[in-house]
């Protein structure tokens, strides 16, 4: 409540509903995932797509940094930011599912884009599903670039930079494997080069 009150002072009255809606959709999506796992339920692709974007937690992870930006968020800006945010979250979901679907299945999670797509399209091989999801990742990135250009002067630059950095971080961590769950030596070395070694030069 205190955060919402302070945010309203900076961003205007619309921000409280924005905060509430982001948290609500994320929690509902997480609960839906938990219910599917508990019941060993295999959702259809349509069912999965309804919760796949908010369950990335991109909306809430980006929420608090946004509240530190000294910019008034009117309804129009929030609407455009939601569109940009959804595009980023969808890309992160696709990247995640393309790399860790097998590990998640072994842990009892049947809901991934790959598994749902193969269920809805009998006879589809895993290789075909992976090819299709990689095509969607490319298309999503193209759409993200278009949104960045189209909203160049309508969304605060800091907001767009935050979303792009989140997307690039996920693409970096998941470029070969699920780098969050199975951190490889290559990822650790790259992080050292980015965050530690440049300090000494």
């Amino acid at each position: 409540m205190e955060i919402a009150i302070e945010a309203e002072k900076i961003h205007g009255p619309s921000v409280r509903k924005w905060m509430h809606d982001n948290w609500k959709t994320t929690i509902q999506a997480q609960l839906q995932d938990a219910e599917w796992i508990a019941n060993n339920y295999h959702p259809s692709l349509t069912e999965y797509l309804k919760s796949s974007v908010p369950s990335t937690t991109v909306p809430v992870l980006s929420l608090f940094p946004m509240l530190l930006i000294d910019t008034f968020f009117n309804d129009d800006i929030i609407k455009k930011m939601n569109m940009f945010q959804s595009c980023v979250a969808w890309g992160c979901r696709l990247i995640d599912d393309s790399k860790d679907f097998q590990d998640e299945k072994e842990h009892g999670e049947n809901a991934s884009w790959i598994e749902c797509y193969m269920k809805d399209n009998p006879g589809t091989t895993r290789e075909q599903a992976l090819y299709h999801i990689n095509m969607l990742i490319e298309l999503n990135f193209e759409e993200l670039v278009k949104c960045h250009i189209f909203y160049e002067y309508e969304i605060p630059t800091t907001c767009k930079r935050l979303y792009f950095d989140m997307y690039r971080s996920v693409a970096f961590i998941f470029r070969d494997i699920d780098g969050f769950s199975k951190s490889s030596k290559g990822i650790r070395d790259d992080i050292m080069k980015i965050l530690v070694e440049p300090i000494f030069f």
Side-chain angles (χ1 to χ4, degrees):
M1 179 64 73
E2 290 82 2
I3 295 177
I5 293 173
E6 291 302 315
E8 282 186 322
K9 294 178 182 178
I10 301 173
H11 306 296
S14 297
V15 77
R16 181 178 294 209
K17 184 178 184 301
W18 185 49
M19 294 171 64
H20 176 271
D21 290 345
N22 277 329
W23 273 108
K24 180 181 178 180
T25 54
T26 298
I27 292 171
Q28 287 176 334
Q30 295 285 342
L31 289 173
Q32 180 66 83
D33 287 351
E35 182 180 336
W36 286 339
I37 294 172
N39 295 322
N40 193 30
Y41 180 69
H42 296 246
S44 67
L45 187 58
T46 300
E47 290 175 312
Y48 177 68
L49 292 177
K50 289 180 180 178
S51 67
S52 60
V53 171
S55 67
T56 62
T57 69
V58 166
V60 293
L61 286 176
S62 60
L63 180 61
F64 289 102
M66 293 293 184
L67 299 180
L68 300 177
I69 299 172
D70 189 16
T71 300
F72 184 83
F73 291 162
N74 59 37
D75 290 340
D76 187 54
I77 290 178
I78 288 177
K79 180 180 178 180
K80 291 181 171 63
M81 285 174 59
N82 281 337
M83 295 171 63
F84 199 77
Q85 176 180 275
S86 295
C87 190
V88 171
W90 175 230
C92 291
R93 169 53 64 206
L94 291 171
I95 293 170
D96 176 285
D97 282 2
S98 71
K99 300 299 182 183
D100 68 357
F101 67 94
Q102 187 60 47
D103 289 335
E104 289 186 348
K105 185 175 182 180
E106 292 173 359
H107 289 93
E109 297 184 41
N110 298 309
S112 73
W113 191 95
I114 297 290
E115 295 299 325
C116 294
Y117 181 80
M118 292 176 66
K119 177 188 175 185
D120 281 15
N121 297 274
T124 301
T125 65
R126 184 158 294 171
E127 289 71 25
Q128 289 173 327
L130 283 169
Y131 175 80
H132 192 67
I133 197 173
N134 285 326
M135 290 293 292
L136 289 178
I137 290 171
E138 290 183 18
L139 291 172
N140 171 261
F141 184 73
E142 292 176 5
E143 183 65 25
L144 188 60
V145 172
K146 289 178 182 177
C147 286
H148 186 280
I149 296 173
F150 185 73
Y151 296 136
E152 182 176 2
Y153 302 109
E154 300 180 72
I155 297 177
T157 301
T158 308
C159 299
K160 291 185 292 186
R161 186 179 297 123
L162 172 64
Y163 286 134
F164 259 108
D165 285 347
M166 292 181 72
Y167 183 96
R168 291 191 300 173
S169 296
V170 171
F172 170 74
I173 295 295
F174 282 90
R175 69 185 189 278
D176 297 315
I177 59 173
D178 176 1
F180 283 111
S181 303
K182 297 180 179 179
S183 179
S184 67
K185 184 178 184 301
I187 291 176
R188 291 195 296 272
D189 288 346
D190 287 343
I191 291 175
M192 288 292 291
K193 290 176 184 177
I194 295 170
L195 299 179
V196 178
E197 292 178 9
I199 296 175
F200 301 103
F201 291 95

